[in-house]
């Protein structure tokens, strides 16, 4: 009898554990944490001496939940396409670890709680920016991915909103400084996502996704555009210097990491080799947090 109870207990906890892991996987935690950190960065920069750990936690968690909801909806809408790609076939929705109805309810819950946190602790404009990000990502970017490379431009908008949301949470308005933070994160995304699209091009094509900037796919036209967008971050430096958001030391720091970000893009353009796309992707993971740290330290 005891053995039977023990077996049922182990099965129950195993089932519960697998369900929890599936729901966590739906969030795309690493990507979502990046967004949450960006929202916290925008808040911290705007708050200055009035910084509060409670409000920092509220904006970060709110951003995390809304972004998580966007990712869940993305996986619901792309179930059949994810099943065709090696890199996504094991996700919870295509494997039926979580069915579509459960995933939609989960996304709605995450969205409502995230919106409430931002609206309650901060203001309506910041909360509205959050819902705009969710709607544009889930309902515009997601279906566009199979029809036009322009989807990456659309997807870069919700991807660049988190620091602006954090800024607006403090200021209550979209101003020039907030838009500068938006611009840096907006243009950072293109080399980042195109490096991923370059490396996963064959897999993406199985599902009909067109994410590289040129119709030719992996080639000189795409690599040229990747380089151009990586280099846009360099002249963009003049904006925070002109507005007083950065001192000269910060300008030098941003210039240095901008060059280091563009360097693998230049190598990719010259070689068209996957190893340089990997280097570009690696550089992108460093650029964003270092850029944010420079803004926080050198303003």
């Amino acid at each position: 009898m005891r053995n039977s109870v023990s077996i049922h207990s182990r099965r129950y906890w195993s089932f519960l554990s697998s369900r929890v892991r599936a729901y966590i996987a739906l969030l795309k935690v690493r990507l979502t944490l990046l967004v949450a950190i960006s929202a916290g960065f925008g808040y911290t920069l705007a708050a200055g001496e009035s910084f509060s750990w409670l409000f920092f936690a509220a904006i970060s968690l709110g951003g995390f939940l809304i972004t998580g909801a966007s990712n869940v909806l993305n996986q619901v809408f792309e179930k059949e396409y994810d099943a065709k790609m090696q890199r996504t076939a094991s996700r919870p929705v295509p494997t039926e670890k979580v069915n579509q109805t459960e995933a939609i309810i989960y996304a709605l819950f995450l969205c409502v709680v995230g919106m409430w946190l931002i609206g309650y602790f901060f203001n309506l404009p910041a909360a509205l920016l959050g819902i705009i990000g969710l709607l544009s990502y889930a309902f515009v970017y997601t279906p566009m991915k199979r029809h036009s490379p322009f989807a990456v431009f659309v997807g870069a908008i919700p991807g660049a909103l988190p620091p602006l949301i954090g800024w607006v949470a403090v200021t209550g308005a979209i101003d020039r400084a907030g838009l500068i933070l938006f611009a840096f994160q907006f243009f950072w995304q293109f080399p980042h996502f195109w490096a991923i699209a370059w490396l996963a091009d064959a897999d993406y094509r199985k599902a009909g996704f067109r994410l590289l900037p040129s119709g030719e796919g992996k080639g000189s036209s795409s690599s040229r555009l990747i380089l151009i967008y990586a280099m846009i971050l360099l002249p963009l430096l003049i904006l925070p210097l002109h507005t007083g958001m950065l001192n000269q030391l910060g300008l030098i720091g941003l210039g240095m990491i901008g060059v280091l970000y563009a360097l693998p893009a230049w190598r990719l353009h010259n070689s068209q080799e996957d190893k340089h796309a990997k280097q570009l992707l690696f550089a992108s993971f460093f650029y964003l947090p270092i850029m944010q740290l420079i803004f926080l330290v050198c303003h």
Side-chain angles (χ1 to χ4, degrees), residues 47-294:
E49 294 182 356
S50 62
F51 173 87
S52 162
W53 281 110
L54 173 62
F55 288 100
F56 176 83
I59 195 67
S60 299
L61 181 57
F64 181 90
L65 294 175
I66 293 174
T67 304
S70 303
N71 289 331
V72 174
L73 289 174
N74 171 269
Q75 292 170 79
V76 169
F77 298 148
E78 293 187 345
K79 175 185 176 181
E80 64 177 291
Y81 310 117
D82 281 349
K84 298 177 181 179
M85 297 187 292
Q86 183 178 353
R87 63 189 293 272
T88 56
S90 61
R91 285 178 175 174
V93 177
T95 57
E96 296 289 345
K97 293 176 183 176
V98 178
N99 65 48
Q100 288 181 300
T101 301
E102 292 171 336
I104 291 171
I105 294 171
Y106 182 44
L108 290 174
F109 171 77
L110 294 172
C111 178
V112 169
V113 176
M115 288 282 292
W116 176 82
L117 279 170
I118 296 176
Y120 179 80
F121 282 95
F122 300 101
N123 51 57
L124 182 59
L128 288 176
L129 283 175
I131 197 64
I132 288 171
L134 182 148
L135 293 174
S136 59
Y137 184 85
F139 296 97
V140 182
Y141 163 72
T142 296
M144 189 181 287
K145 285 166 65 177
R146 298 187 70 251
H147 301 286
S148 172
F150 191 70
V152 176
F153 291 82
V154 175
I157 295 173
L161 282 176
L164 180 60
I165 292 171
W167 184 272
V168 172
V170 177
T171 65
I174 298 174
D175 57 19
R176 184 168 54 177
L179 289 173
I180 289 173
L181 300 182
F182 174 90
F184 270 90
Q185 190 142 325
F186 181 80
F187 286 106
W188 162 80
Q189 291 177 88
F190 292 98
H192 170 76
F193 284 115
W194 282 333
I196 295 172
W198 185 285
L199 294 169
D201 183 59
D203 216 16
Y204 279 136
R205 287 180 179 272
K206 293 177 185 176
F209 291 142
R210 301 170 58 191
L211 295 179
L212 283 171
S214 170
E216 72 172 6
K218 296 169 69 170
S220 59
S221 295
S222 288
S223 64
R224 185 183 306 113
L225 286 167
I226 292 171
L227 175 61
I228 289 171
Y229 276 85
M231 294 182 68
I232 286 176
L233 288 164
L234 293 172
L236 206 62
L237 297 175
I238 196 65
L239 297 178
L241 181 67
H242 180 70
T243 56
M245 294 179 69
L246 274 182
N247 56 30
Q248 290 186 347
L249 180 62
L251 179 68
I252 293 171
L254 278 188
M256 290 175 62
I257 64 169
V259 169
L260 292 175
Y261 193 19
L263 186 58
W266 173 260
R267 290 172 177 165
L268 177 62
H269 176 57
N270 287 334
S271 71
Q272 261 106 88
E273 294 181 4
D274 285 3
K275 66 178 182 179
H276 292 131
K278 290 179 182 178
Q279 291 175 6
L280 177 59
L281 182 60
F282 186 73
S284 74
F285 289 129
F286 282 92
Y287 179 89
L288 190 64
I290 295 174
M291 177 271 287
Q292 293 174 351
L293 183 63
I294 290 172

